């Protein structure tokens, strides 16, 4: 396995709340980082500048995670500019809430395109591109266990991510590549907070034994563990949720 200073991480959704925290954490560990984005190049560049300020090399790469051609080009850019790919952290995701009985099927298709197809495309590329000693870290949700109403369509997509992750870990036997998923609980990100009033947010915080929402940095610590020292953790879903479930 290469030294920490020369390892390269690609973070999809790297300009978002959790993704940004992951980039910061991995850069602080000495990783060179590729910040993936869709649509907001300026924000991705801000994250790149934060990473380079720590002494890491960093680039921004764009593309729809569900578009296999665009993502292959993103992987190509990372390999050309940073020398290879050792870690892929797949934080890109969409969350739309609503009861199953009345849920809009077009919204379901849009969400599942990013969460299921997008995760599949990135995982497929990672399976073929990661160097020995590498790690793929996908993202699920603690709602697969908590099962709160209105989360059904979202949970359906993330349950698929868990299944894909666990099978891929077994398929990569002999490659010295770990494949795991992180399943956060309620985290104070725009994705989670969108559409929720203060009372609803406070209610989620009370559900957690630690009596607070998670912070993106809390999740980034788990990712750093899986990306670095956790070579004996493979084919697992790590529930990073303060004891919610």
């Amino acid at each position: 396995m290469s030294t920490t200073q020369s390892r390269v991480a690609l973070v999809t959704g790297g300009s978002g709340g959790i993704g940004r925290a992951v980039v910061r954490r991995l850069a602080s560990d000495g990783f060179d980082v590729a910040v993936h984005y869709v649509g907001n190049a300026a924000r991705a560049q801000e994250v790149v500048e934060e990473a380079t300020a720590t002494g890491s090399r960093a680039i921004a790469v764009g593309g729809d995670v569900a578009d296999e051609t665009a993502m292959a080009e993103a992987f190509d850019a990372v390999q050309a500019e940073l020398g290879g790919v050792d870690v892929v952290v797949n934080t890109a995701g969409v969350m739309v809430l609503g009861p199953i009985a009345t849920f809009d099927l077009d919204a379901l298709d849009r969400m599942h395109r990013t969460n299921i197809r997008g995760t599949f495309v990135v995982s497929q590329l990672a399976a073929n591109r990661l160097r020995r000693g590498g790690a793929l870290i996908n993202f699920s949700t603690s709602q697969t266990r908590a099962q709160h109403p209105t989360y059904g369509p979202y949970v359906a997509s993330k349950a698929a991510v868990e299944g894909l992750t666990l099978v891929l870990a077994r398929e990569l036997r002999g490659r010295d590549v770990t494949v795991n998923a992180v399943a956060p609980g309620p985290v104070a990100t725009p994705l989670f907070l969108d559409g929720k009033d203060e009372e609803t947010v406070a209610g989620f915080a009370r559900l957690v034994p630690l009596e607070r929402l998670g912070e993106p940095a809390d999740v980034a610590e788990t990712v750093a563990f899986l990306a670095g020292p956790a070579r004996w953790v493979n084919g697992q879903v790590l529930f990073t949720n303060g004891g919610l479930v």
Side-chain angles (χ1 to χ4, degrees), residues 70-236:
M71 291 311 298
E73 291 172 354
F75 272 77
D76 288 343
V78 177
Q79 290 179 296
E81 297 192 44
L82 299 179
V85 186
D86 298 288
V87 172
V88 172
V89 186
N90 202 15
T91 76
V94 174
M95 181 170 66
V96 183
L97 303 182
I100 294 168
T102 56
F103 199 79
D104 180 76
L105 295 181
D106 288 338
L108 182 74
D109 289 343
R110 289 193 300 272
M111 180 166 57
H112 284 199
R113 184 176 191 277
T114 296
N115 295 357
I116 299 177
R117 181 185 170 90
T119 298
F120 195 99
V121 165
V122 173
S123 296
Q124 188 175 67
L125 286 162
N128 288 287
R129 304 287 191 104
L130 283 169
R131 295 187 285 205
R132 292 189 68 85
L136 168 62
I137 303 157
N138 287 325
F139 265 69
S140 180
T141 172
S142 288
Q143 284 295 335
T144 57
R145 287 185 177 179
Q147 300 164 355
H148 290 129
T150 76
Y151 279 84
Y154 179 63
V155 164
S157 70
K158 292 301 188 176
V161 169
E162 290 187 12
L164 163 67
T165 299
L166 301 186
V167 171
L168 182 57
R170 278 75 187 175
E171 290 183 349
L172 295 186
R173 172 183 292 274
R175 284 278 307 281
D176 191 24
V177 169
T178 62
V179 185
N180 295 287
V182 175
V187 178
T189 65
L191 180 68
F192 173 77
L193 297 173
D194 183 46
K196 297 182 176 69
D197 58 28
E198 290 185 10
E199 182 178 351
T200 299
V201 172
F204 273 99
R206 286 192 297 270
L207 290 174
V208 178
L210 295 180
E211 295 188 336
R212 67 172 177 88
L213 295 182
E215 295 294 335
D218 294 321
V219 181
E221 287 293 330
T222 300
V223 171
F225 172 65
L226 294 172
R231 299 306 304 165
W232 196 236
V233 180
N234 188 29
Q236 305 298 319

Side-chain angles (χ1 to χ4, degrees), residues 45-65:
Q45 189 57 40
E46 290 176 3
V47 183
V48 166
E49 291 169 3
E50 291 174 359
T52 56
T54 71
S56 294
R57 294 184 299 162
I59 63 171
V61 292
D64 176 2
V65 288

